[in-house]
């Protein structure tokens, strides 16, 4: 069974940093691209970042470029999103998602709240 | 960046009726690169359709997708009570960035 389990969300002050992680299982992780998608409270979906299976290719939305870094550890089947210089508008549920292109399996998400 | 516009914003129908949801792109996209998702309150989105018309694993055949160019449609042939949710379209190319529509809320009349 394909599963993604996110962790690391919480409350952080504007300008602060936070790292969210995703533990994946049930598929061949090292050959599968992974993505992060976020959803602000009561709003729609926003693609944030993706990383190729080998980790050599990374992509970012303009809204987070230069502040967020996606990485993966294929020995542990994990993918992380390091978020720096956080802003109030980064407040959202962050979903770990299998694949880029169409997104076929989603975790339950972890809530990141940026507030003083 | 390709902008996706979904209509209507809210659709009120009764169980057993047919639902037609629209997704229009700001520029032509390959039909290979259009997906639809369903999201229920408090849950993560679920992939319904990819490649504009291919159903994802386990999706009932009352869900169908169609379209090409800039106009795409998700049709639910006969609404079941569990189909009332928010639906999003998404465009994807061979590599990111990707974009989502703003969503259509399908509510029970």
């Amino acid at each position: 069974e394909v599963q993604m389990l996110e962790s690391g969300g919480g409350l952080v002050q504007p300008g602060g940093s936070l790292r969210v992680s995703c533990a994946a299982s049930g598929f061949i992780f090292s050959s599968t691209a992974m993505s992060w998608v976020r959803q602000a409270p009561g709003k729609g979906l926003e693609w944030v970042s993706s990383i190729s299976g080998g980790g050599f290719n990374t992509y970012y939305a303009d809204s987070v470029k230069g502040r967020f870094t996606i990485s993966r550890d294929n020995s542990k089947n994990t993918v992380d999103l390091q978020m720096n210089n956080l802003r109030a508008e980064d407040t959202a549920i962050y979903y770990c998602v299998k694949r880029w292109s169409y997104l076929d399996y989603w975790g339950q998400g972890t809530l990141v709240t940026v507030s003083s | 960046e390709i902008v996706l516009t979904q209509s209507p914003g809210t659709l009120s129908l009764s169980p057993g009726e047919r639902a037609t949801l629209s997704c229009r792109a700001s520029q032509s996209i390959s039909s290979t690169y259009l997906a639809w998702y369903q999201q229920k309150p408090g849950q993560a989105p679920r992939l319904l359709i990819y490649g504009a018309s291919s159903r994802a694993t386990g999706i009932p055949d009352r869900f169908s997708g169609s379209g090409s160019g800039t106009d795409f449609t998700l049709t639910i042939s006969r609404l079941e009570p569990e189909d009332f949710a928010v639906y999003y379209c998404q465009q994807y190319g061979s590599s990111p960035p990707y974009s989502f529509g703003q969503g259509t809320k399908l509510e029970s009349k």
Side-chain angles (χ1 to χ4, degrees):
Chain A
E1 180 188 7
V2 174
Q3 286 190 328
M4 269 73 65
L5 183 62
E6 302 95 337
S7 61
L11 175 64
V12 60
Q13 292 187 341
S17 297
L18 199 65
R19 189 179 188 93
V20 292
S21 297
C22 170
S25 61
F27 59 98
I28 303 173
F29 184 76
S30 60
S31 61
T32 303
M34 298 294 292
S35 299
W36 289 93
V37 174
R38 69 184 180 183
Q39 185 170 36
K43 302 298 184 182
L45 302 172
E46 180 187 16
W47 170 79
V48 174
S49 183
S50 296
I51 187 168
S52 61
F56 299 110
N57 299 102
T58 58
Y59 302 89
Y60 299 94
D62 287 344
S63 57
V64 307
K65 199 171 293 183
R67 301 186 299 122
F68 289 14
T69 302
I70 191 171
S71 61
R72 64 190 296 157
D73 184 337
N74 285 346
S75 68
K76 298 180 180 178
N77 286 11
T78 59
V79 56
D80 292 349
L81 187 67
Q82 175 67 41
M83 303 180 288
N84 298 331
N85 191 20
L86 282 160
R87 307 166 179 167
E89 55 264 36
D90 295 318
T91 294
I93 296 173
Y94 285 74
Y95 293 103
C96 174
V97 193
K98 176 175 168 280
R99 292 178 56 93
W100 60 33
S101 69
Y102 63 88
L103 307 167
D104 59 355
Y105 289 93
W106 299 58
Q108 283 305 302
T110 187
L111 177 63
V112 173
T113 303
V114 184
S115 175
S116 55
Chain B
E1 178 188 344
I2 298 176
V3 176
L4 300 178
T5 303
Q6 293 186 239
S7 61
T10 302
L11 184 59
S12 299
L13 295 170
S14 300
E17 291 191 295
R18 181 184 186 90
T20 302
L21 287 66
S22 174
C23 176
R24 177 163 290 179
S26 60
Q27 57 186 275
S28 182
I29 60 176
S30 168
S31 59
T32 307
Y33 300 141
L34 195 286
W36 290 92
Y37 302 85
Q38 176 194 67
Q39 187 178 32
K40 298 179 181 180
Q43 296 185 16
R46 176 175 70 149
L47 175 68
L48 297 176
I49 301 286
Y50 63 95
S53 60
S54 297
R55 275 187 299 277
T57 302
I59 302 303
D61 59 8
R62 65 180 182 274
F63 290 91
S64 63
S66 62
S68 63
T70 59
D71 292 303
F72 297 87
T73 300
L74 175 69
T75 301
I76 310 171
S77 59
R78 284 178 53 86
L79 285 167
E80 297 287 344
E82 62 267 27
D83 298 336
F84 294 97
V86 179
Y87 292 82
Y88 295 94
C89 59
Q90 178 222 355
Q91 67 83 23
Y92 53 95
S94 56
S95 61
Y98 306 134
S99 53
F100 292 90
Q102 82 280 17
T104 290
K105 182 180 181 180
L106 177 57
E107 64 178 23
S108 181
K109 186 186 291 184

